[in-house]
Amino acid sequence: MPRPFRHPVPLEIGGAELRDLVSACMDRLAPWLDGLNEQPAHSLDGSHKVARAFDEPMPERGVPFRRVLARLFDRAIPVSLNPASPGYLGYIPGGGLPSTALADLIADITNRYTGLWMPAPGLVQLEISVIRWFCTLAGYGPSAGGWLCSGGSMANLAAVVTAREAKLGEDIDRGVLYTSEGAHHSISKAARVAGLPRRNTRVVPVDASFRLRRDELARAVAADRAAGLRPFMVVAQAGSTPVGAVDDLAALADVCAEEGIWLHVDAAYGGFFLLTARGRGALAGIERADSIALDPHKGLFLPYGTGCLLVKELATLRAAFSEAAAYLPPSQEDQEHWDFADLGLELSRPARGLRIWLPVWLHGASAFREALDEKLDLARDAAARVRALPGVRIVAEPELSLFAFRVEPPGMNATEFDAFNRRVLARVNQRKRLMLTGTTLRDPALGEEVFVIRVCVLCFRTHADRMDMLLEDLADAIADPRG
């Protein structure tokens, strides 16, 4: 018989022990949360040293929990970008809404299985309700449905596979996918993973507002059909990652309807602005898409790892992903009850819907709507004020809450502009009150590749005071980018 020995924290902890562990976490988390306004928006100083400190073998025996927490909060967490900061205006942030952690705590400890309806009907049904909320928001009808996943990249992959199955069947070598210069890189990756030849992904030019050009799309489709290929999918943008551009979704829907092509809208960033009147105006026509990618961890401010794919016809998702296995219960025949394993790539999955359902019930949809309306206001006001700074040209206007600009000082030649803008960006970020990012893109106004600075206002903690800081730090950096 094996000799027993005592562990510092046994695997089978009870309620009292769990309460103590959670209390110890809160001793660290509460002051961290209360101090977010004063924390830097990013800090990567000493990153290699910190990384080396965590390159270590598996411990044989447990260590006191407060010592574990100290390593995390004193070393790992501070040396990072800080998307939870109100000054984080870079990339497209995930929100980190604290109430979502309550849902995750419940889901992780109760540990219910939601790949199928039968093992946890209540939790699966509330997730179905969440997806139906989103379908209603998108303007879809009762035959629509979807699947919650880890993020927009997985949603885009599932959309490409679904469109491939619906439009091409087994004949995928001649299938052609069309997207724009502003498409997220997950689109081309999804096409590869779905088995499409690299040569069969078309990047269609954009107009002066970075929107996919309908005339160029129609021309490309006609040329490919004449060459014996099979155009099957168009991926439009509802808030592109580089500049936040929103394609003319109604016009693209017209082309796809005429040509019998699947229209997918990547609305990972912009989709939840549908909660607002201005967002619905900007995204008009999205209800005509065959599928839509959403990221609740962006527009609903949830923690990373929360994505969604919607499809106008749930049957198309089932046709693409459903598989039978003798060791599983039979699939649900009731159309009101879904087996998520039949709708996506996962069999094993957590109660993912709870991390959306609980915060929405706790805060109400109006809280999210008001926050998104505020972000639209902040971005427009900031763009107007940035435009007034010396030498600034707005390259991409804020269609939603993201805009891009470039500083072009008089007396400086074009070849110096990129280096100047990189210095401006670096100096703003040196202060660490804000985190901005840049990108290289083809500027329609110049017809050439340029470097631009981006401002993405999407953190629910970002308010007017951070826009004031943005203007202060930008003005100082433009005046003396060497700083």
Side-chain angles (χ1 to χ4, degrees):
M1 185 174 181
R3 180 169 61 87
F5 58 89
R6 188 178 302 277
H7 294 277
V9 180
L11 295 180
E12 296 185 51
I13 65 172
E17 291 88 352
L18 177 63
R19 190 184 299 275
D20 288 343
L21 294 174
V22 172
S23 177
C25 273
M26 290 309 303
D27 288 345
R28 284 287 189 162
L29 278 171
W32 180 89
L33 194 62
D34 290 340
L36 262 175
N37 280 339
E38 287 71 48
Q39 290 175 26
H42 63 99
S43 180
L44 296 176
D45 300 337
S47 56
H48 292 288
K49 181 179 180 181
V50 167
R52 284 194 298 271
F54 285 91
D55 183 8
E56 55 195 346
M58 180 187 297
E60 180 61 30
R61 301 295 298 271
V63 299
F65 186 46
R66 291 184 183 276
R67 192 187 308 170
V68 175
L69 289 173
R71 294 191 69 198
L72 289 175
F73 281 89
D74 296 343
R75 306 195 71 180
I77 292 171
V79 181
S80 59
L81 306 186
N82 189 359
S85 164
Y88 194 91
L89 307 175
Y91 303 108
I92 298 177
L97 193 68
S99 54
T100 310
L102 306 176
D104 287 349
L105 181 65
I106 294 168
D108 290 350
I109 292 175
T110 60
N111 194 37
R112 294 303 189 258
Y113 171 69
T114 64
L116 303 172
W117 186 87
M118 182 274 288
L123 291 172
V124 171
Q125 206 65 38
L126 74 79
E127 187 165 334
I128 294 171
S129 292
V130 166
I131 294 166
R132 284 177 170 155
W133 297 345
F134 296 168
C135 288
T136 300
L137 192 62
Y140 276 176
S143 60
W147 171 64
L148 296 183
C149 56
S150 62
S153 294
M154 288 300 292
N156 285 332
L157 172 59
V160 172
V161 171
T162 305
R164 183 199 69 191
E165 291 291 302
K167 296 295 184 180
L168 299 177
E170 298 297 318
D171 181 18
I172 67 174
D173 287 344
R174 294 186 296 135
V176 183
L177 179 151
Y178 305 84
T179 192
S180 73
E181 296 174 3
H184 194 269
H185 76 280
S186 64
I187 300 301
S188 58
K189 184 185 293 187
R192 290 205 325 269
V193 174
L196 299 174
R198 289 176 185 260
R199 64 181 180 277
N200 286 12
T201 297
R202 305 281 182 265
V203 178
V204 181
V206 297
D207 63 16
S209 298
F210 297 92
R211 298 178 302 182
L212 190 153
R213 288 177 54 181
R214 172 180 175 166
D215 58 336
E216 292 286 354
L217 173 63
R219 185 176 299 115
V221 169
D224 284 330
R225 288 205 192 281
L229 298 174
R230 299 182 64 192
F232 82 102
M233 186 177 195
V234 171
V235 180
Q237 305 299 307
S240 68
T241 300
V243 296
V246 178
D247 288 331
D248 186 340
L249 302 179
L252 297 181
D254 287 342
V255 174
C256 290
E258 292 165 6
E259 297 287 347
I261 295 174
W262 184 286
L263 175 60
H264 174 64
V265 176
D266 185 353
Y269 155 55
F272 285 104
F273 284 101
L274 287 166
L275 281 165
T276 71
R278 284 174 289 179
R280 290 192 296 275
L283 275 61
I286 195 170
E287 72 281 354
R288 297 176 61 190
D290 295 288
S291 57
I292 303 168
L294 299 170
D295 262 350
H297 65 223
K298 295 185 174 75
L300 289 185
F301 317 119
L302 303 183
Y304 290 117
T306 320
C308 180
L309 175 67
L310 303 181
V311 289
K312 181 177 286 186
E313 299 294 335
L314 185 61
T316 59
L317 211 53
R318 282 201 177 100
F321 292 105
S322 179
E323 290 285 348
Y327 47 79
L328 295 176
S331 293
Q332 287 294 320
E333 295 182 1
D334 188 333
Q335 295 303 305
E336 296 300 308
H337 303 157
W338 307 349
D339 286 331
F340 288 119
D342 290 341
L343 305 180
L345 301 168
E346 299 171 310
L347 179 60
S348 297
R349 65 192 305 278
R352 192 172 278 126
L354 192 59
R355 66 187 351 236
I356 303 171
W357 182 89
L358 188 151
V360 173
W361 273 93
L362 179 64
H363 303 293
S366 60
F368 296 92
R369 180 178 298 109
E370 290 165 7
L372 289 167
D373 262 324
E374 180 194 26
K375 306 318 158 199
L376 293 173
D377 290 338
L378 291 174
R380 281 156 176 72
D381 179 66
R385 295 170 67 189
V386 169
R387 190 195 319 272
L389 294 174
V392 168
R393 175 170 66 91
I394 300 294
V395 176
E397 299 288 346
E399 293 192 58
L400 296 170
S401 68
L402 194 164
F403 65 94
F405 66 94
R406 182 170 162 84
V407 190
E408 299 172 336
M412 189 176 291
N413 64 55
T415 59
E416 296 174 303
F417 285 152
D418 278 4
F420 184 87
N421 278 269
R422 292 181 188 276
R423 292 197 299 273
V424 168
L425 176 64
R427 186 175 181 205
V428 169
N429 286 342
Q430 274 178 356
R431 293 190 176 182
K432 298 185 179 180
R433 301 199 297 179
L434 306 168
M435 171 72 186
L436 301 184
T437 52
T439 189
T440 300
L441 50 79
R442 192 182 67 83
D443 185 349
L446 303 177
E448 59 186 46
E449 292 281 322
V450 300
F451 180 80
V452 299
I453 300 172
R454 301 164 66 260
V455 175
C456 182
V457 188
L458 198 60
C459 178
F460 63 96
R461 297 183 178 99
T462 301
H463 305 297
D465 60 324
R466 291 292 164 161
M467 299 299 99
D468 293 339
M469 293 180 193
L470 171 67
L471 268 293
E472 292 170 8
D473 291 0
L474 268 177
D476 289 347
I478 291 170
D480 182 9
R482 298 167 299 175

